[in-house]
Amino acid sequence: MGDFALETERLILRDWREDDWGPFFQHTNTSQVMRWLGGELDSEGRSSQRARVEGCASKHGHCFWLVERKSDGEVLGFCGLKRADAPASTILGQFEIGWRFRQDVWGQGYAKEAAHAALAAGFLQFGAEEVFALTVIENEASWGLMKRLGMLRREEFDYVDSRISAPFRDTIAFSIARSEWGNL
């Protein structure tokens, strides 16, 4: 992977290193963190997710970045941008922001801080005109953050991801345009 990095007051968002994957899965592949993502991943699922992230980064030059806490170097999760690629997606090829953080840091503002940095990179470095975020309706914490980021609910882009079983397949969309982001 490359040498891309973003810094915020408390965080570093950067490309993945070989030794990041163990701590990442140790802290985020838990029943609570994976609750709305289809459940904990087995060995095959972890390998598949890693391959998707690395393939996305290779193809587009970026993907979801590892999030590291500056003060102690701890792996907190990931946050970043990818190009939407789910087969049934209504936003194929569009910029999509996503995040996943370990449970012991929930409620401390890390996800919002990282997402602000990722949105700024999307609009200022990668030239996005609009950035989408996807989740399931039951995942109130995720879409609550989307709203706090200034994103708007976009029902016309909702879709069913047939690769996944209910209730995780009913995907809802939010987005923010560059012009809206610049006014926040």
Side-chain angles (χ1 to χ4, degrees):
M1 306 280 275
D3 295 324
F4 183 85
L6 298 172
E7 289 196 34
T8 69
E9 180 182 340
R10 302 180 294 166
L11 305 172
I12 298 171
L13 287 71
R14 62 169 173 76
D15 285 331
W16 295 78
R17 299 179 190 135
E18 180 67 32
D19 60 352
D20 292 330
W21 291 101
F24 171 74
F25 285 123
Q26 175 189 348
H27 295 300
T28 66
N29 191 36
T30 66
S31 59
Q32 278 302 103
V33 173
M34 298 299 289
R35 179 178 180 194
W36 302 116
L37 300 170
E40 291 179 60
L41 300 171
D42 60 14
S43 175
E44 184 179 322
R46 291 188 302 271
S47 293
S48 178
Q49 180 176 59
R50 178 179 176 172
R52 283 193 311 273
V53 169
E54 290 175 344
C56 167
S58 177
K59 184 176 182 179
H60 300 290
H62 61 85
C63 198
F64 299 143
W65 299 295
L66 181 91
V67 177
E68 177 182 294
R69 187 168 41 209
K70 281 183 176 180
S71 64
D72 59 8
E74 277 288 310
V75 171
L76 302 185
F78 73 55
C79 182
L81 302 166
K82 70 174 208 139
R83 294 296 188 140
D85 61 355
S89 177
T90 55
I91 59 166
L92 276 175
Q94 296 294 317
F95 281 94
E96 177 188 338
I97 188 170
W99 48 79
R100 181 182 314 162
F101 284 82
R102 55 196 264 184
Q103 186 178 359
D104 64 334
V105 300
W106 290 357
Q108 297 178 38
Y110 290 123
K112 185 176 181 185
E113 186 175 330
H116 272 296
L119 284 173
F123 293 124
L124 302 176
Q125 290 178 259
F126 298 114
E129 290 300 320
E130 186 169 20
V131 175
F132 288 84
L134 305 171
T135 191
V136 295
I137 194 71
E138 293 88 351
N139 190 350
E140 293 181 36
S142 191
W143 57 257
L145 175 55
M146 294 169 192
K147 288 174 135 181
R148 289 190 301 281
L149 292 169
M151 301 183 99
L152 301 174
R153 181 75 170 85
R154 300 292 301 274
E155 291 182 32
E156 68 273 27
F157 292 108
D158 292 357
Y159 67 94
V160 175
D161 190 337
S162 59
R163 301 171 302 167
I164 306 167
S165 57
F168 312 109
R169 68 176 180 217
D170 300 325
T171 305
I172 64 168
F174 284 74
S175 77
I176 187 167
R178 179 195 302 246
S179 59
E180 296 162 341
W181 173 78
N183 294 325
L184 295 177

